[in-house]
Amino acid sequence: MEHEIAGLLKERRLTIATAESCTGGWIAGRIVNVPGISGQFGEGYITYSNEAKEKLLGVSHETLKRYGAVSRQTAEEMARGVQAAAGADLGLISTGIAGPDGGTKEKPVGLVYLACAYKDTVTTERHIFDGDRQTVRRASVEAALSLALRVLKQQ
């Protein structure tokens, strides 16, 4: 999937940047597996803490306080934030609860928000993945790459 994303980015002369919480750099890792991607991928951020989300991506403290790090609102601000911080055409992000701890009834382990900003639009997805920590993280990466591919194909 990352090869197809890279091909579309190169063909359209677009760039992509990532900001990851629960996936901890795995999305960027998949993208940089593609030889020659340096022209399309210049930056990736691991913004695991709320402080990093605020400092590096400009996520509002109020958004984090009101909705939490794992929310549609935070995901959208992260996607716009990484797009702006990196000066990229696409901003692709993940934020979620990989477990085994940290879940609540309202926000269970496996809850992940993914978002992809392109131009003035942010496409956000909410997922609940089953499995252990690594399974949730792997599923999040696959879903994030799939989201980026769909956004690119819609253009």
Side-chain angles (χ1 to χ4, degrees):
M1 201 170 356
E2 57 268 34
H3 291 275
E4 190 172 359
I5 291 167
L8 288 169
L9 290 169
K10 189 171 187 174
E11 175 186 305
R12 297 176 185 175
R13 296 183 181 167
L14 299 173
T15 58
I16 189 169
T18 59
E20 303 178 59
S21 185
C22 63
T23 52
W26 284 8
I27 297 169
R30 285 281 297 274
I31 293 170
V32 300
N33 279 339
V34 179
I37 195 65
S38 61
Q40 289 70 48
F41 181 82
E43 296 178 35
Y45 303 81
I46 299 172
T47 53
Y48 205 68
S49 69
N50 285 353
E51 294 78 14
K53 289 173 181 66
E54 289 181 52
K55 180 174 81 173
L56 298 172
L57 307 176
V59 174
S60 159
H61 182 75
E62 184 57 36
T63 297
L64 290 164
K65 185 176 172 185
R66 183 171 182 186
Y67 301 105
V70 182
S71 65
R72 177 174 300 277
Q73 295 83 355
T74 295
E76 289 176 2
E77 287 188 29
M78 286 177 69
R80 285 190 196 99
V82 73
Q83 184 184 35
D89 297 300
L90 277 85
L92 182 62
I93 72 91
S94 68
T95 185
I97 306 167
D101 302 320
T104 65
K105 185 176 179 180
E106 296 79 26
K107 294 184 179 184
V109 168
L111 175 64
V112 175
Y113 284 91
L114 304 168
C116 186
Y118 179 64
K119 294 187 178 177
D120 295 331
T121 303
V122 179
T123 305
T124 308
E125 295 180 349
R126 178 185 186 272
H127 296 273
I128 298 181
F129 297 113
D130 290 324
D132 64 13
R133 182 177 182 81
Q134 303 312 326
T135 302
V136 169
R137 292 178 71 212
R138 276 192 298 274
S140 299
V141 171
E142 290 298 321
L145 293 172
S146 178
L147 171 61
L149 189 55
R150 281 194 316 279
V151 167
L152 282 167
K153 286 184 173 182
Q154 290 171 359
Q155 305 310 316

